[in-house]
Amino acid sequence: MNAALPTAASGTLPWPAAEFEARLRAKEAGYHIHHAFNQRLNSGALAPFQVRGWVANRFYYQQAIPMKDAAVMSNCDDRETRRRWVLRLLDHDGHDDFAGSHAGGIEVWTQLGIATGLTRDELWSQRHVQPGVRFAVDAYVNFARRSCWQEGVISSLTEMFAPKIHADRLAGWPSHYPWIDASGLAYFRNRIPLAQRDVEHGLEVAQGWCDTRAKQERALAVLQFKLDVLWSLLDAVERAYPDDMATEKRP
């Protein structure tokens, strides 16, 4: 897709802001919305045990997000950025009385798991988490710990593509999976406006930090790494829950 984009006059000059953003957004071609397992998931083609397997494994990613965000913030020497970034931790860990709208994304995802037939203990014990999922998610958290905070922020820009995948689930799951209580879909609904807010901040950081072509190209590589993490997660889930999985092994 990048070949169709306009190019700067020199191969060493930074791309103009609009072109740089376009190149970041073009990475959507590798987003896990296009993964075969996700396409089956959102088209209603999966059995209940496969949906539960995905929910349980994705939970490992969900509970790692605030750890990733804390790592980014711990590397950040800019007070204003820290004050904005801390909202992401609260979005997932919860805040105030941790009830209702304050519960946080991890708790809301737990409710999704319960709505699919998993127990809270099954999720929080991580008994269903596949080695490939653990490896990919841990690599992402370690990346955030070891990289400069700007690269940590840029890695989060997969949020540019998230509203569509959440909207697809909200539109299709009630009819495809009527056995899942509709209240369990709140996570997808909640994330759409939050993702839009986070993308605005992430792009602001990317545009400010990437003042050279080398940094812009590094940003594209960082975003590709995050896309690979998400893709690898689904690869592992797809392999773990084949259609003919033995009944006694199904979650």
Side-chain angles (χ1 to χ4, degrees), residues 125-157:
S125 68
Q126 302 176 5
R127 71 182 66 166
H128 298 300
V129 176
Q130 300 300 310
V133 170
R134 194 180 299 275
F135 186 86
V137 173
D138 290 355
Y140 182 39
V141 175
N142 287 333
F143 172 84
R145 287 171 175 158
R146 298 171 182 174
S147 301
C148 66
W149 67 266
Q150 292 94 338
E151 289 189 359
V153 170
I154 290 166
S155 72
S156 74
L157 280 174

Side-chain angles (χ1 to χ4, degrees), residues 48-54 56 117-118 122 128 240-241 245-251:
F49 80 90
Q50 292 168 314
V51 177
R52 286 192 286 270
W54 173 75
L118 295 164
E122 281 183 284
H128 298 300
Y241 303 102
M245 187 176 191
T247 302
E248 65 273 13
K249 295 182 178 180
R250 299 178 176 184

